[in-house]
Amino acid sequence: MVSKEELINLATLAKLEISDQDVDKLLADMEKIIDFANQINSASVSEVEFDSVNNLQNVYREDVVSRSYSQEDILKNAKTVEDGFFRLDNRGQV
Amino acid sequence: MKYEVVMGLETHVELSTKTKIFCGCTTEFGGDPNTHCCPICIGLPGTMPKLNREVVKYAIMAGLALNCDISKISKMDRKNYVYPDLPKAYQISQYDRPLCERGHVDLSNGRRIGITRIHIEEDAGKLVHQRGKTLIDYNRGGVPLIEIVSEPDFRSVEEVVEYLEYLQLTMRYIGVSDCKMQEGSLRCDVNVSVRPVGSEDFGTRTEIKNMNSFTNISKAVKYEVQRQIDLIESGGKVVQETRRFDDSSGVTESMRGKEDAHDYRYFREPDLVTIFTDEERVDQIKKLIPELAHKKLERYIKNYGLSEIDAKLLVKYKRVADFFEESIKDLKSCRNCANLILSLIFSKFETEEQKEKFEIKVSPEAMNELLKLLEAGKIRNNVAKKTLEEMLESGKRATDFLSEEDLKGLSEQELKAVCVEAVRSNPNAARDYLDGKQKAVKSLIGFVMKKTRGKANAQLAEKFIIDIINSKN
């Protein structure tokens, strides 16, 4: 069970504003999501020493410099730009 | 009431790999804003992190140098928080399976500081506040960090500073970080609490952030300790909170309280696989670790007979220590070498950074050649100094400056002859000496030194001169 307080706390942490009307609907959605995710608990893991992604381990990239993007390209999606920087808007958004 | 201070440290060290932790962008400090970036390190959707092999190696090296156990199985986790310096809204870090655990650092007062863990993570971008606006540069975003977490084992500011200096020196020795506080490649947060002496329980702690020099750490901790004591003495209570040190006013101020404490909702990073390190790998990495500064210090004092002060100055900079050791090969004593480095060569540098880099025109081989001439008595100390000055200036070798004549040395016979000449050509000085003016001999020695171009042994010359004067009467 997800409590109303937990839901509101999560929204706060994610910087989301939710209205009172939305709370009940979101609670129901959240319940379904958790039920879905909980299926993983029924998987048998007794023979697995430590879970890993597709039984892969030690997949690395070598420490070799590759070209970075141009400043112009990096800032292309920014809402506000100033002197080559991203600028935060009044709501603290990039 | 008497109080005891209890502190623990979280130290962030930026690793000096060439590239960032999850992409190939350069880790170079500075640069125009947002020019060391790519879709991975600015957190664009659909990008995948690719772990840098060297980051894991460097972190294990740091762990071994700090006496840690290396975890056989380790993994990356997502630490969720929303803040503009972190474009993905989570930092890829390590939660319950850090790479290294259970290490320690021994302090000079005999106390041992426990190291809880060392984990790897990505650095955040940099926020620049100016003219009421907030600007963001993501060049630093994704630069690899290790976080070294200590046990709450510190009991004084001095211990904190010694520990940090030790970390700095050790990281530099093993070559995993330059640990420049002013550039932020060594940063630390200090957890501070006080308790009545004799008490076993910990007091409520505060965490001080934002300290970028040893002086600031010292000031911040002293201020915070006094603030907590004053608070308790006046009947108040310390609140658990995060505080920021403001170096212009010298005080710590509240940033956020316990109620605003982060709820990071860690979970495993699904885009990165398990880091598996077996004993064989640990042994391979162990071999990469050079002799550490504290071991070198012991050896310099014990085997070379250097004073603690001199030995400390030599080991403080890895390049200096390397130069010193190469320069003293096949010499009977390393005293001359230590003296020349610490007095003459060091006087050429103005900053710590210059000493750290130790860029000089003299190779260890050339230094060794000069020292051998000095040790064999072919040149005297003052000539060696003058020659080294010239070598530092021009990059030439000692033999380029010293003539055959210079290197021939001076036999006792020859020296005696010069002394006779000195007495004969300065009858006044000889008379003054006989009249009881001991100092008069000095001018005669000066004559001998000049005549022999500094090759003469001054003590021996003095003895001869006195004998000659006395024998004449």
Side-chain angles (χ1 to χ4, degrees):
Chain A
M1 274 296 282
V2 182
S3 73
K4 199 173 161 179
E5 289 70 35
E6 279 170 329
L7 184 86
I8 290 168
N9 183 40
L10 269 179
T12 312
L13 289 169
K15 309 275 190 235
L16 294 174
E17 285 172 31
I18 51 171
S19 65
D20 286 346
Q21 301 98 281
D22 288 341
V23 169
D24 287 334
K25 188 182 170 305
L26 285 169
L27 268 177
D29 285 350
M30 192 64 83
E31 206 68 48
K32 277 184 209 153
I33 293 167
I34 287 172
D35 280 347
F36 171 74
N38 266 344
Q39 289 180 73
I40 204 164
N41 287 336
S42 59
S44 160
V45 289
S46 55
E47 282 165 34
V48 184
E49 194 188 332
F50 185 77
D51 65 318
S52 67
V53 183
N54 294 333
N55 286 321
L56 286 171
Q57 60 190 28
N58 297 349
V59 178
Y60 298 118
R61 173 179 61 77
E62 298 307 320
D63 188 25
V64 178
V65 177
S66 57
R67 241 174 73 183
S68 297
Y69 278 45
S70 70
Q71 190 187 62
E72 192 193 348
D73 280 345
I74 288 296
L75 295 172
K76 231 169 211 169
N77 290 330
K79 267 194 221 153
T80 336
V81 171
E82 190 169 316
D83 299 336
F85 291 91
F86 289 85
R87 203 183 94 192
L88 283 194
D89 66 16
N90 306 334
R91 300 178 59 235
Q93 307 275 317
V94 178
Chain B
M1 201 187 296
K2 280 230 154 220
Y3 292 89
E4 178 182 55
V5 190
V6 176
M7 287 175 285
L9 255 66
E10 286 166 28
T11 313
H12 285 97
V13 172
E14 258 180 24
L15 298 179
S16 50
T17 51
K18 295 187 192 76
T19 66
K20 293 187 178 181
I21 182 168
F22 300 124
C23 65
C25 289
T26 178
T27 53
E28 216 172 287
F29 180 73
D32 284 339
N34 300 302
T35 53
H36 302 164
C37 302
C38 73
I40 294 175
C41 57
I42 62 165
L44 292 189
T47 55
M48 298 269 261
K50 295 181 230 164
L51 184 55
N52 182 342
R53 182 189 300 276
E54 292 293 282
V55 169
V56 177
K57 187 177 97 183
Y58 280 20
I60 292 174
M61 285 172 77
L64 290 171
L66 299 175
N67 312 296
C68 290
D69 296 338
I70 308 305
S71 310
K72 198 170 169 188
I73 289 168
S74 180
K75 66 172 171 85
M76 305 306 296
D77 297 283
R78 290 188 184 179
K79 178 180 180 179
N80 299 281
Y81 68 94
V82 179
Y83 199 66
D85 64 1
L86 196 68
K88 297 192 297 298
Y90 59 82
Q91 177 193 33
I92 305 180
S93 178
Q94 296 195 289
Y95 182 52
D96 56 342
R97 295 271 189 162
L99 262 181
C100 318
E101 292 182 280
R102 293 174 296 274
H104 62 258
V105 167
D106 289 323
L107 299 179
S108 59
N109 63 6
R111 296 197 59 243
R112 174 167 284 190
I113 304 299
I115 288 173
T116 319
R117 56 184 278 160
I118 302 177
H119 67 253
I120 53 177
E121 62 188 24
E122 57 182 331
D123 208 343
K126 204 164 149 190
L127 299 188
V128 183
H129 304 280
Q130 59 180 34
R131 298 190 297 271
K133 283 177 275 192
T134 301
L135 306 176
I136 316 165
D137 173 10
Y138 287 118
N139 281 354
R140 199 183 63 188
V143 167
L145 294 176
I146 49 173
E147 179 174 331
I148 305 168
V149 183
S150 87
E151 293 289 311
D153 288 344
F154 297 95
R155 297 292 175 268
S156 72
V157 184
E158 290 71 28
E159 289 184 350
V160 170
V161 172
E162 185 185 336
Y163 167 87
L164 284 171
E165 281 173 347
Y166 183 90
L167 287 189
Q168 189 178 46
L169 192 55
T170 305
M171 296 303 122
R172 284 176 178 170
Y173 258 68
I174 61 176
V176 303
S177 173
D178 53 20
C179 285
K180 290 182 191 163
M181 283 200 114
Q182 70 279 15
E183 287 183 9
S185 56
L186 175 70
R187 318 194 280 268
C188 84
D189 304 336
V190 189
N191 285 298
V192 183
S193 67
V194 298
R195 64 182 176 194
V197 169
S199 164
E200 289 287 314
D201 302 326
F202 291 127
T204 306
R205 67 168 194 272
T206 59
E207 184 182 9
I208 321 175
K209 288 197 174 284
N210 188 34
M211 285 175 296
N212 52 11
S213 72
F214 289 125
T215 328
N216 275 354
I217 291 165
S218 233
K219 278 190 205 160
V221 168
K222 278 180 190 151
Y223 176 87
E224 182 58 18
V225 166
Q226 200 51 51
R227 190 190 69 87
Q228 291 189 10
I229 292 174
D230 290 347
L231 199 60
I232 295 166
E233 293 278 291
S234 62
K237 261 188 173 165
V238 177
V239 211
Q240 191 179 330
E241 61 183 354
T242 304
R243 299 178 71 84
R244 173 196 294 120
F245 177 68
D246 179 359
D247 60 358
S248 57
S249 59
V251 306
T252 64
E253 54 205 19
S254 184
M255 270 170 82
R256 56 172 182 261
K258 192 185 181 184
E259 63 275 14
D260 302 319
H262 285 310
D263 176 356
Y264 294 122
R265 295 153 294 143
Y266 281 96
F267 65 90
R268 179 156 191 187
E269 167 57 67
D271 290 336
L272 291 166
V273 303
T274 309
I275 301 167
F276 180 80
T277 313
D278 57 14
E279 270 173 48
E280 200 188 327
R281 180 71 184 136
V282 173
D283 286 340
Q284 279 173 1
I285 297 177
K286 248 180 210 162
K287 291 194 187 106
L288 302 174
I289 296 182
E291 181 185 35
L292 296 178
H294 66 283
K295 290 275 176 211
K296 242 186 223 308
L297 184 69
E298 271 174 40
R299 186 161 60 84
Y300 283 13
I301 296 171
K302 222 175 115 203
N303 299 4
Y304 297 159
L306 291 175
S307 71
E308 193 178 333
I309 296 170
D310 287 355
K312 266 191 178 154
L313 284 168
L314 288 170
V315 302
K316 191 171 175 194
Y317 315 95
K318 172 107 188 335
R319 294 210 170 118
V320 175
D322 288 345
F323 177 84
F324 170 72
E325 286 181 40
E326 282 180 60
S327 299
I328 56 167
K329 268 184 196 145
D330 307 321
L331 290 176
K332 283 192 225 68
S333 158
C334 65
R335 268 254 60 100
N336 289 329
C337 186
N339 287 342
L340 286 173
I341 292 175
L342 296 177
S343 59
L344 206 153
I345 300 183
F346 270 18
S347 73
K348 307 288 172 206
F349 301 124
E350 278 161 18
T351 63
E352 289 289 299
E353 199 161 334
Q354 287 171 333
K355 286 181 193 167
E356 187 69 48
K357 281 193 183 150
F358 201 62
E359 283 169 348
I360 55 169
K361 288 184 181 163
V362 177
S363 68
E365 295 74 36
M367 183 73 174
N368 182 254
E369 187 179 58
L370 176 74
L371 291 164
K372 277 182 178 159
L373 293 173
L374 180 59
E375 192 165 277
K378 294 202 168 164
I379 53 171
R380 304 215 56 82
N381 217 349
N382 48 352
V383 177
K385 273 189 187 165
K386 223 166 66 194
T387 310
L388 183 57
E389 287 272 8
E390 285 166 359
M391 289 163 70
L392 287 165
E393 195 65 41
S394 66
K396 291 183 182 162
R397 298 183 81 105
T399 42
D400 294 334
F401 300 106
L402 299 165
S403 64
E404 291 286 312
E405 192 74 3
D406 286 328
L407 294 174
K408 237 174 39 198
L410 201 65
S411 69
E412 285 202 11
Q413 278 308 323
E414 287 167 311
L415 177 59
K416 218 171 249 173
V418 182
C419 290
V420 169
E421 191 192 337
V423 176
R424 196 185 302 137
S425 13
N426 298 281
N428 293 343
R431 204 172 313 120
D432 285 349
Y433 175 77
L434 287 171
D435 287 346
K437 287 185 190 155
Q438 305 269 329
K439 273 192 190 153
V441 178
K442 296 277 182 251
S443 72
L444 294 171
I445 298 171
F447 178 94
V448 172
M449 295 313 273
K450 208 169 162 192
K451 201 81 187 165
T452 59
R453 299 172 66 192
K455 282 190 289 179
N457 176 333
Q459 276 114 24
L460 202 58
E462 181 171 6
K463 184 179 164 290
F464 286 160
I465 289 167
I466 293 170
D467 286 350
I468 292 163
I469 297 175
N470 287 333
S471 69
K472 282 195 165 175
N473 291 271

